[in-house]
């Protein structure tokens, strides 16, 4: 028969953590750069790690790498 | 291991707050050095402030070098008092950097050189010593990151092991019941990969198909997020357990029309609020299952009493009582459309699509500290699933039941239509206006005056006809009313 585990109509609705973490990470890294606060930069690194850990496997690794930066 | 993580995590918070202070001091350091050369004439004024500030800093910090620093600070200030150019003294004692306190050992040397040669200005570099202590912020952060990475790897592996343990125990049963086990959706034809599909570090999917009465079965192993340290810490506050979610999509002809759910009271209350079909068809609160011999922890939600009677046969009751602690919820529904969608007022124009499904949610025993062996205990639950599939196929409502069910469904549809009536009217109105506008535009764009006239006439005629029709309708209604 037929085989569409093209499932999850709304994966974004069900777990927004990685997206939030991505956004937070970017915000903190901008803060860190503009205001020269070291701890901001560290928090940004943490956020990107958390986002990576929670992410779905369908997202590309290139995005992950750029978020690490 | 866990204690270590907690310890590290708890350390972060106070350190990060205290460290903001040091950042400001480091910046102040640079500024002071450059500015003091300009303010040589204010040395008396600045010296007074300078003598006060190092002592203030000393009291706020808890360093071992406190005692030595105080003495040295006082000595140095007394020496500098006599000298005319005391910018170095200012630069050295003003910066509020922890490194400066270590650098005080060098101060006597600097002051000696100054005594011999009062005019030379000694440039003291900012970082006097490259000791580890000056980088403790970085070291702490890196340790934290390493802890996170380690937890990630450990969690990932554990989830992986659990998933494969589950799959190995269930593989035989699944393969005997389903022709197609495991499919990615990437190949064009349906081929059995025989492997779990890893969607995430904590979610594993398995699609089985090829059984007589069902379209397919999707099994989702939703583990806890062991790979995320934050989640691990949160779970220490609030215990949760892994879940296995099974969704069986039935063929249209194989299941009769009813909505029925069994599960823990808490789960049912939550489902009734969230799920579209349960909230519409099952109006009562969950009833206790004690009437049928179920334990108190389980409750029943159903559209009709007849459905409950039919579903609760001996074998089902046996399953439910024996594995009550592992069952979170079981839902049979022919109007399943997923959780209620939060839509804005103007968007609801159509009823959501429904599919006949059986949904099972099981909790893995162990509540977080599961080991691969626990997976074996879930095997009988899988046989319950298969039994339910067969049962749902065989179970048919009698005539009364069917009538009631149809009435219910019609009622729901009517309600829905009433709700959206206004929106649909508006939509139709806007469509009509669009058409009129398009026509008018066409007429305007028509270059040939002849054609223009003809089109205008045609449009006029059409409008007149519509008006006439409306008038006729009104007359008919009036006649009927009379």
């Amino acid at each position: 028969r037929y085989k569409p585990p093209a499932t999850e109509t709304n994966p974004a609705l069900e777990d927004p953590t990685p997206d939030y973490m991505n956004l937070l990470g970017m915000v903190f890294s901008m803060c860190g750069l503009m205001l020269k606060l070291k701890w901001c930069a560290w928090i940004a690194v943490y956020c990107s790690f958390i986002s990576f850990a929670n992410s779905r496997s369908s997202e590309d690794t290139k995005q992950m790498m750029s978020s690490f930066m | 291991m866990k204690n270590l993580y907690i310890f590290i995590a708890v350390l972060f918070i106070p350190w990060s707050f205290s460290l903001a202070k040091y950042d400001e001091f480091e910046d102040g350091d640079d500024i002071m050095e450059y500015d003091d050369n300009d303010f040589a004439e204010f040395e008396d004024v600045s010296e007074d402030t300078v003598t006060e500030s190092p002592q203030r800093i000393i009291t706020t910090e808890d360093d071992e070098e406190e005692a030595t620093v105080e003495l040295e600070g006082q000595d140095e200030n007394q020496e500098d008092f006599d000298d005319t150019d005391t910018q170095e003294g200012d630069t050295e004692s003003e910066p509020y950097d922890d490194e400066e306190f270590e650098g005080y050992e060098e101060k006597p040397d600097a002051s000696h050189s100054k005594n011999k040669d009062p005019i030379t200005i000694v440039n003291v570099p900012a970082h006097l010593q490259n000791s580890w202590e000056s980088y403790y912020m970085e070291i702490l952060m890196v340790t934290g990151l390493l802890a996170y990475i380690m937890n990630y790897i450990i969690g990932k592996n554990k989830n992986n092991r659990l998933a494969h343990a589950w799959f190995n125990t269930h593989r035989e049963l699944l393969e005997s019941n389903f022709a197609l086990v495991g499919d990615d959706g990437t190949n064009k034809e349906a081929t059995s990969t025989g492997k779990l599909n890893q969607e995430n570090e904590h979610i594993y999917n398995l699609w089985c198909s090829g059984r007589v009465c069902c379209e397919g079965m999707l099994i989702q192993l939703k583990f806890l997020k062991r790979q995320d340290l934050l989640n691990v810490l949160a779970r220490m506050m609030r215990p949760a357990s892994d879940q296995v979610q099974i969704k069986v999509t039935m063929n249209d002809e194989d299941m009769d029309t009813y909505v029925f759910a069994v599960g823990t009271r808490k789960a049912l209350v939550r489902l009734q609020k969230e799920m579209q079909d349960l909230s519409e068809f099952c109006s009562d609160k969950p009833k206790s299952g004690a009437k049928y011999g179920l334990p108190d922890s389980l409750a029943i939600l159903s559209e009709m009493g007849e459905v409950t009677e039919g579903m609760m046969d001996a074998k089902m009751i046996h399953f439910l009582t024996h594995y009550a602690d592992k069952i979170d919820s079981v839902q049979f529904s022919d109007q399943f459309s997923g959780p209620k969608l939060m839509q804005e007022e103007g968007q609801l124009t159509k009823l959501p699509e429904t599919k006949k499904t059986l949904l099972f949610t099981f909790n893995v025993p162990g509540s977080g500290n599961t080991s691969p062996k626990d997976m074996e205990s879930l095997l009988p639950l899988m046989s319950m699933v298969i039994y339910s599939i067969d049962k749902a196929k065989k179970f048919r409502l009698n005539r009364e039941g069917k009538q009631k069910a149809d009435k219910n469904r019609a009622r729901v549809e009517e309600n829905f239509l009433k709700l959206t009536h206004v929106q649909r009217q508006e939509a139709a109105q806007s469509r009509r206006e669009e058409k009129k506008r398009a026509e008018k535009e066409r007429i305007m764009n028509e270059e040939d005056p002849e054609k223009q006239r003809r089109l205008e006439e045609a449009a006029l005629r059409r409008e007149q006809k519509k008006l006439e029709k409306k008038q006729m309708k009104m007359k008919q209604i009036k006649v009927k009313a009379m």
Side-chain angles (χ1 to χ4, degrees):
Chain A
R1 305 294 176 82
Y2 123 98
K3 41 130 184 187
T7 54
E8 288 303 357
T9 50
N10 287 322
L13 280 186
E14 298 188 9
D15 187 15
T17 312
D19 301 324
Y20 276 151
M21 284 294 141
N22 240 341
L23 181 67
L24 271 183
M26 304 238 187
V27 166
F28 273 116
S29 69
M30 282 292 120
C31 271
L33 273 179
M34 300 286 158
L35 309 173
K36 287 199 187 164
L37 297 169
K38 243 202 281 187
W39 53 270
C40 268
W42 281 112
I43 296 180
V45 174
Y46 271 116
C47 282
S48 72
F49 261 100
I50 296 175
S51 158
F52 168 71
N54 285 325
S55 66
R56 297 173 271 282
S57 64
S58 48
E59 295 182 17
D60 359 83
T61 35
K62 274 180 279 184
Q63 234 182 6
M64 291 294 123
M65 288 299 125
S66 72
S67 72
F68 273 136
M69 289 301 140
Chain B
M1 263 303 213
K2 277 186 199 172
N3 290 333
L4 180 63
Y5 292 158
I6 298 172
F7 180 67
I8 290 175
V10 164
L11 274 182
F12 281 165
I13 301 159
W15 277 128
S16 58
F17 281 117
S18 62
L19 287 165
K21 267 193 282 180
Y22 289 123
D23 283 335
E24 294 161 22
F25 296 157
E26 281 173 4
D27 283 341
D29 188 5
D30 295 333
I31 297 168
M32 294 294 193
E33 277 180 351
Y34 299 134
D35 280 345
D36 277 347
N37 290 325
D38 293 338
F39 298 117
E41 53 266 35
F42 300 120
E43 68 193 48
D44 291 334
V45 178
S46 53
E47 265 194 36
D48 289 336
T49 58
V50 159
T51 51
E52 287 173 5
S53 40
Q55 287 162 5
R56 246 193 297 124
I57 302 163
I58 291 164
T59 53
T60 56
E61 290 172 14
D62 287 331
D63 275 346
E64 295 166 26
E65 297 130 334
E66 255 188 63
T68 49
V69 159
E70 272 186 26
L71 288 173
E72 286 181 354
Q74 284 168 11
D75 283 340
E76 189 205 54
N77 287 330
Q78 281 164 9
E79 284 175 341
D80 289 341
F81 222 78
D82 304 327
D83 286 343
T84 49
D85 47 345
T86 52
Q87 288 96 0
E88 303 85 1
D90 293 345
T91 58
E92 284 162 10
S93 49
E94 276 173 32
Y96 313 129
D97 200 3
D98 57 333
E99 295 156 2
E100 285 304 311
F101 298 125
E102 293 148 17
Y104 268 105
E105 281 100 51
E106 294 181 25
K107 292 299 161 54
D109 298 330
S111 54
H112 285 316
S113 68
K114 266 183 282 167
N115 280 333
K116 293 179 202 160
D117 217 355
I119 305 175
T120 55
I121 298 171
V122 179
N123 268 337
V124 181
H127 294 282
L128 297 168
Q129 274 188 6
N130 266 338
S131 77
W132 285 119
E133 293 176 28
S134 54
Y135 292 113
Y136 70 93
M137 163 74 153
E138 276 76 13
I139 291 174
L140 208 61
M141 286 296 187
V142 169
T143 330
L145 274 179
L146 282 177
Y148 192 88
I149 293 177
M150 280 204 317
N151 173 264
Y152 174 78
I153 295 177
I154 294 174
K156 188 166 91 134
N157 284 336
K158 173 132 197 220
N159 276 346
N160 216 353
R161 265 185 298 137
L162 284 176
H164 282 98
W166 180 92
F167 189 52
N168 288 333
T169 49
H170 286 73
R171 179 194 275 263
E172 274 187 42
L173 182 61
L174 288 174
E175 284 187 349
S176 63
N177 273 300
F178 291 90
L180 168 72
V181 172
D183 193 355
D184 279 349
T186 50
N187 304 334
K188 281 220 183 357
E189 299 158 4
T191 49
S192 181
T193 59
K195 272 197 301 216
L196 288 168
N197 183 21
Q198 182 176 4
E199 180 184 317
N200 221 330
E201 301 301 342
H202 62 284
I203 298 185
Y204 290 84
N205 290 339
L206 184 70
W207 172 261
C208 306
S209 180
R211 199 162 195 273
V212 181
C213 37
C214 59
E215 223 177 77
M217 174 168 87
L218 177 68
I219 304 180
Q220 271 196 326
L221 300 175
K222 286 195 176 159
F223 292 127
L224 302 164
K225 287 190 186 170
R226 292 192 179 80
Q227 79 274 11
D228 182 17
L229 190 62
L230 290 179
N231 222 286
V232 168
L233 296 173
R235 239 185 322 123
M236 291 183 192
M237 318 288 161
R238 199 170 30 118
S241 56
D242 302 322
Q243 280 193 339
V244 177
Q245 270 188 2
I246 303 179
K247 182 167 156 183
V248 182
T249 326
M250 303 288 283
N251 287 332
D252 280 336
E253 60 271 8
D254 282 326
M255 185 168 152
D256 214 348
T257 54
Y258 52 86
V259 176
F260 173 74
V262 146
T264 57
R265 207 166 274 273
K266 218 169 51 166
L268 281 185
V269 167
R270 187 177 37 96
L271 281 178
Q272 190 169 27
K273 267 189 278 188
E274 284 179 9
M275 293 291 175
Q276 183 111 13
D277 48 353
L278 281 179
S279 61
E280 283 178 1
F281 290 98
C282 302
S283 48
D284 311 328
K285 291 215 199 100
K287 284 187 250 198
S288 157
K291 208 168 44 154
Y292 303 96
L294 291 176
D296 273 334
S297 57
L298 295 179
I300 301 179
L301 255 187
S302 117
E303 193 183 357
M304 296 175 269
E306 192 203 328
V307 174
T308 327
E309 295 283 334
M311 276 291 140
M312 288 289 135
D313 64 344
K315 206 155 177 210
M316 192 65 120
I317 296 184
H318 167 83
F319 271 126
L320 289 172
T321 41
H322 272 255
Y323 307 109
D325 56 337
K326 303 197 186 68
I327 294 177
D328 188 54
S329 74
V330 172
Q331 183 185 357
F332 301 165
S333 162
D334 76 312
Q335 300 276 320
F336 180 72
S337 57
K340 275 195 204 164
L341 303 165
M342 303 308 251
Q343 280 178 342
E344 294 161 12
E345 280 300 321
Q347 285 179 12
L348 208 61
T349 50
K350 227 163 57 81
L351 267 179
E353 262 185 42
T354 60
K355 283 206 86 92
K356 300 197 175 190
T357 43
L358 314 177
L359 269 175
F360 301 84
T361 312
F362 300 131
N363 290 333
V364 176
S367 86
N369 293 326
T370 47
S371 72
K373 279 185 285 200
D374 291 325
M375 294 302 171
E376 292 169 0
S377 57
L378 291 174
L379 200 57
L381 289 171
M382 188 55 77
S383 24
M384 175 175 129
V385 168
I386 304 218
Y387 172 74
S388 318
I389 299 179
D390 292 328
K391 186 165 174 56
K393 175 174 185 228
K394 279 185 279 181
F395 180 68
R396 291 275 180 269
L397 295 167
N398 62 13
R399 209 159 45 96
E400 272 179 30
K402 195 93 177 65
Q403 276 177 354
K404 257 201 272 182
D406 288 335
K407 240 194 323 179
N408 277 339
R409 275 151 189 72
R411 175 180 49 92
V412 167
E413 218 180 302
E414 227 186 278
N415 285 341
F416 177 77
L417 286 177
K418 267 192 233 165
L419 273 174
T420 58
H421 185 66
V422 176
Q423 282 119 23
R424 274 184 304 127
Q425 257 191 341
E426 283 176 17
Q429 181 80 349
S430 58
R431 256 182 285 138
R432 258 180 276 146
E433 280 175 18
E434 271 286 334
K435 257 196 265 177
K436 270 196 204 157
R437 236 188 312 137
E439 263 215 53
K440 277 198 189 141
E441 267 199 52
R442 244 191 322 134
I443 293 173
M444 297 304 237
N445 292 339
E446 202 58 60
E447 304 240 330
D448 198 358
E450 273 283 328
K451 280 196 190 163
Q452 223 184 36
R453 234 190 314 126
R454 256 185 280 148
L455 282 169
E456 275 189 36
E457 281 174 13
L460 260 173
R461 256 182 277 143
R462 257 181 267 140
E463 279 201 43
Q464 273 183 346
K465 271 195 209 163
K466 275 194 201 162
L467 273 170
E468 280 179 20
K469 268 196 207 166
K470 267 196 197 168
Q471 282 172 354
M472 289 292 287
K473 273 194 192 167
M474 294 302 289
K475 278 190 195 163
Q476 279 179 359
I477 291 171
K478 279 187 192 163
V479 166
K480 278 191 192 165
M482 287 199 302

